[in-house]
Amino acid sequence: LVKPFPGLTDSVALLGFSGACFKDPFLNCLCFCSTLCLILLFASGVFVSTLYLFIYFCFGFCFTPLTFFCPTLQKSEGLSSQRSSLLNSHLQWLLDNYETAEGVSLPRSTLYNHYLRHCQEQKLDPVNAASFGKLIRSIFMGLRTRRLGTRGNSKYHYYGIRVKPDSPLNRLQEDMQYMALRQQPVQQKQRFKPVQKFDGNSGDNYSGGGQQLAGAAEQTVIAQSQHHQQFLDASRALPDFVELDLGQSNTENISPEDVKALQALYREHCEAILDVVVNLQFSLIEKLWQTFWRYSPPETVVARLPQSQLLLLCRHEAVLKWMNTCDHLMYHALVEILIPDVLRPIPSALTQAIRNFAKSLEGWLNNAMNAVPQRMIQTKIAAVSAFAQTLRRYTSLNHLAQAARAVLQNTSQINQMLSDLNRVDFANVQEQASWVCQCEEGVVQHLEQDFKATLQQQSSLEQWAAWLENVVTQVLKPYEHRPSFPRAARQFLLKWSFYSSMVIRDLTLRSAASFGSFHLIRLLYDEYMFYLVEHRVAQVTGETPIGVMGEVQNVIVLNDIFLYFMSQYDIS
């Protein structure tokens, strides 16, 4: 009985339909009564297949409209249910992989490509881009659309949304970028890309002078890795530079206009560098350096400050110090843009791009400054070397942090580490280290107990970072506001490293099962201690961390110069 009437359960509707199939009143009445009998018999549980066949063969033509109508209704209801299920699947996928966040953006095309891939994997029918955009805005309220990117390569972005850190889309994007690099031809023709920056008062800004050279491989990575910008702090601006004051020293042949032109040009130069770093166009840095140092200067730059005047200024001691200070401020801003949080996970492709960038910096700058006085080259190289070293250290620290995070989240490994640590003879460690470090025994015991307690609590990586920062604060607090603070900070790093090496030595001799985990944790904590002390010294001395490292580079350069001159004499 149900088969020819699928989806109709309302008896009244069935009776009304069956009683209105014919124009002849007799046939209408017969059909109505037969249908009513079928319903009553079916409701009472009587087997009605024979009666049903009799009515169907006698009056089957009366059921023809109903036979066609009911499957159509069923199909309509099924289609609605299918669409509802499809919509729920799309909504759940968006909520599982994306979240709202301030100050970040994603290209619209990237989101839609992720969605198309999801539909392909799940064998779903995708909606068009316009409908997908409406769906996103209905879920993530308050999204704004912005057109971001350099001229000629700008794209529409959703501002205020990002991929969740634990989403598999992050790994998908890394794999796509890696394949793009692998498939890039070695001898592919390089493309030119304009990087222009206009001044509101004049149109002769040096950084807007024409086309800039960019590697094809770099451009391919940038085109396919726009999501990397969500890991950057693109909101950071270049800080104000101090005024250049030549004082009462020899300023012959140097006019005040030359000094003002140098300040303006160097400010524009640094802003252009910051722009290309924000857009991850690292290969353009070399061209910017060549432009400023007159390796291939535009005519507008020569008109504002002739090369002869630039070289004359480069020999001035005040200019050397001023430019070194500006470089430290700029490089510190670049580090904060590229690695705003050393503990936050960074995609491996972005990490590798930053390390390659750091490796190329000194060579690019040396090639661009081949006609500049040697003192200026040494000053610039010392600053850029400190910048490159900082990038390498911070990316290594970030890599260690992600490796250690997995260890700290493993309960069995933590228990094994705690068991092995309790077997270490800390009294013997203190006895051996005291002659070298001369640390107070109470301080060492307090750190030992705190370390064990924090390990037993199975603290997260962020909680360990807070504990290490608290250790630095307690140890260096007596030296605050003293000139000896930098030296005390360096001594603390040496003592920390010595004590940790003694503990690792004891674990090695005991063949501790958790030696590998302790070794990884020790590497991370030593690096993070260096990071904390470096920033604490910079804070106390009023310098940037790049400036603190730059002082070390200056000492190295001076030692190299001294050894060079000593080698010119025959010491026998």
Side-chain angles (χ1 to χ4, degrees):
L1 176 64
V2 179
K3 183 176 181 181
F5 309 109
L8 289 179
T9 58
D10 193 335
S11 301
V12 178
L14 179 60
L15 290 171
F17 185 84
S18 62
C21 290
F22 304 101
K23 295 182 180 180
D24 191 298
F26 173 75
L27 292 177
N28 273 337
C29 181
L30 180 60
C31 180
F32 179 85
C33 293
S34 301
T35 306
L36 178 60
C37 291
L38 283 172
I39 293 174
L40 293 176
L41 290 172
F42 182 79
S44 60
V46 179
F47 186 74
V48 293
S49 60
T50 304
L51 181 60
Y52 162 70
L53 290 174
F54 170 76
I55 295 175
Y56 183 81
F57 283 114
C58 292
F59 308 103
F61 56 87
C62 76
F63 293 101
T64 301
L66 189 61
T67 305
F68 281 99
F69 170 75
C70 292
T72 303
L73 179 61
Q74 183 190 28
K75 183 178 180 181
S76 176
E77 292 178 349
L79 182 62
S80 177
S81 175
Q82 182 182 5
R83 288 179 177 175
S84 177
S85 176
L86 184 64
L87 180 61
N88 290 335
S89 174
H90 295 339
L91 292 175
Q92 190 60 46
W93 177 80
L94 287 171
L95 292 173
D96 289 344
N97 292 279
Y98 298 96
E99 63 183 2
T100 56
E102 288 295 330
V104 296
S105 62
L106 277 177
R108 293 195 308 191
S109 59
T110 299
L111 266 75
Y112 190 61
N113 288 335
H114 288 169
Y115 165 71
L116 292 178
R117 186 180 181 91
H118 164 71
C119 292
Q120 182 181 7
E121 292 175 349
Q122 302 298 323
K123 294 181 172 55
L124 303 175
D125 294 328
V127 299
N128 57 37
S131 301
F132 182 69
K134 294 178 182 178
L135 182 63
I136 288 179
R137 291 181 179 277
S138 66
I139 299 174
F140 303 103
M141 307 300 293
L143 284 186
R144 290 169 288 171
T145 302
R146 290 187 177 182
R147 192 174 182 90
L148 302 176
T150 56
R151 179 169 298 183
N153 193 37
S154 60
K155 294 182 179 180
Y156 282 105
H157 289 61
Y158 288 121
Y159 187 79
I161 186 174
R162 69 179 181 187
V163 179
K164 288 185 175 180
D166 57 348
S167 170
L169 295 178
N170 286 314
R171 175 59 57 185
L172 168 66
Q173 199 71 9
E174 291 181 36
D175 295 341
M176 290 173 60
Q177 293 157 10
Y178 178 74
M179 291 304 299
L181 281 174
R182 290 292 301 270
Q183 296 171 4
Q184 188 68 33
V186 177
Q187 298 295 337
Q188 182 170 351
K189 183 178 179 182
Q190 289 181 318
R191 295 178 293 178
F192 289 83
K193 183 175 184 59
V195 177
Q196 298 186 352
K197 191 176 186 65
F198 295 98
D199 190 3
N201 300 325
S202 62
D204 57 351
N205 190 313
Y206 94 95
S207 59
Q211 305 284 336
Q212 306 292 343
L213 184 62
E218 187 77 23
Q219 292 297 321
T220 301
V221 174
I222 294 172
Q224 299 185 5
S225 63
Q226 292 290 337
H227 89 297
H228 275 171
Q229 292 192 359
Q230 67 181 296
F231 296 95
L232 310 182
D233 183 7
S235 63
R236 183 172 293 274
L238 190 67
D240 294 333
F241 292 162
V242 297
E243 291 292 325
L244 174 56
D245 184 11
L246 299 184
Q248 302 298 325
S249 57
N250 183 19
T251 57
E252 292 183 7
N253 302 322
I254 299 179
S255 66
E257 289 74 18
D258 293 335
V259 176
K260 292 181 180 180
L262 177 63
Q263 290 185 94
L265 283 172
Y266 200 69
R267 175 75 187 189
E268 295 165 7
H269 169 67
C270 293
E271 288 179 347
I273 290 176
L274 186 141
D275 286 344
V276 298
V277 168
V278 167
N279 289 286
L280 301 178
Q281 297 171 302
F282 297 138
S283 60
L284 295 181
I285 298 292
E286 182 179 16
K287 185 64 177 180
L288 291 175
W289 277 336
Q290 291 176 352
T291 302
F292 183 83
W293 296 109
R294 311 307 164 85
Y295 187 88
S296 56
E299 295 182 0
T300 54
V301 178
V302 176
R304 294 174 65 182
L305 184 63
Q307 184 174 10
S308 59
Q309 295 303 106
L310 174 62
L311 297 179
L312 190 61
L313 285 165
C314 287
R315 294 185 175 91
H316 206 285
E317 191 66 27
V319 175
L320 293 173
K321 293 181 180 180
W322 173 81
M323 198 167 288
N324 190 49
T325 302
C326 295
D327 284 349
H328 290 164
L329 292 173
M330 177 187 66
Y331 290 143
H332 177 65
L334 297 183
V335 171
E336 293 295 320
I337 289 172
L338 292 172
I339 314 176
D341 184 355
V342 293
L343 300 181
R344 179 187 177 186
I346 299 178
S348 57
L350 178 58
T351 301
Q352 190 59 48
I354 294 175
R355 294 185 69 86
N356 292 337
F357 171 54
K359 186 186 299 183
S360 305
L361 285 170
E362 290 188 44
W364 289 347
L365 188 57
N366 265 318
N367 293 335
M369 299 183 66
N370 56 358
V372 179
Q374 191 65 27
R375 281 291 308 280
M376 177 59 77
I377 294 178
Q378 294 168 358
T379 302
K380 297 285 293 182
I381 289 296
V384 80
S385 297
F387 173 52
Q389 182 184 1
T390 300
L391 290 179
R392 287 191 291 266
R393 283 180 39 239
Y394 287 9
T395 50
S396 298
L397 173 58
N398 185 267
H399 179 74
L400 286 171
Q402 306 328 310
R405 192 184 296 273
V407 173
L408 296 175
Q409 292 174 349
N410 191 314
T411 303
S412 60
Q413 285 182 291
I414 293 297
N415 292 335
Q416 183 63 52
M417 291 173 66
L418 189 60
S419 175
D420 292 339
L421 191 63
N422 287 329
R423 296 191 182 97
V424 173
D425 188 356
F426 279 94
N428 183 43
V429 170
Q430 167 64 11
E431 182 179 350
Q432 296 182 52
S434 60
W435 184 80
V436 177
C437 300
Q438 298 179 355
C439 293
E440 296 181 9
E441 185 175 355
V443 174
V444 176
Q445 290 179 353
H446 178 68
L447 290 177
E448 173 196 344
Q449 295 170 1
D450 271 2
F451 187 92
K452 290 180 178 179
T454 308
L455 186 64
Q456 190 171 13
Q457 294 170 5
Q458 298 186 5
S459 302
S460 64
L461 178 61
E462 287 71 22
Q463 290 172 325
W464 274 109
W467 181 81
L468 292 171
E469 188 170 3
N470 185 51
V471 170
V472 173
T473 301
Q474 291 181 359
V475 172
L476 297 182
K477 188 174 183 179
Y479 303 95
E480 289 182 355
H481 311 296
R482 291 185 182 181
S484 59
F485 186 90
R487 183 178 181 279
R490 289 193 293 268
Q491 288 296 316
F492 166 68
L493 282 178
L494 293 174
K495 294 175 182 179
W496 171 273
S497 180
F498 188 84
Y499 267 100
S500 60
S501 66
M502 292 294 293
V503 174
I504 290 294
R505 171 182 173 273
D506 195 287
L507 291 169
T508 305
L509 295 176
R510 296 176 186 275
S511 300
S514 60
F515 170 78
S517 299
F518 269 113
H519 181 64
L520 176 62
I521 295 298
R522 185 261 173 121
L523 291 176
L524 171 63
Y525 291 178
D526 282 1
E527 283 291 331
Y528 195 67
M529 275 295 189
F530 193 178
Y531 171 83
L532 292 174
V533 169
E534 175 187 66
H535 281 70
R536 193 61 57 87
V537 171
Q539 181 182 3
V540 171
T541 59
E543 297 184 4
T544 63
I546 297 290
V548 173
M549 296 306 301
E551 292 179 358
V552 178
Q553 293 297 326
N554 284 329
V555 172
I556 295 174
V557 170
L558 291 176
N559 287 336
D560 291 342
I561 295 174
F562 174 76
L563 293 175
Y564 170 78
F565 282 111
M566 291 297 295
S567 65
Q568 304 303 311
Y569 297 93
D570 184 14
I571 304 177
S572 58

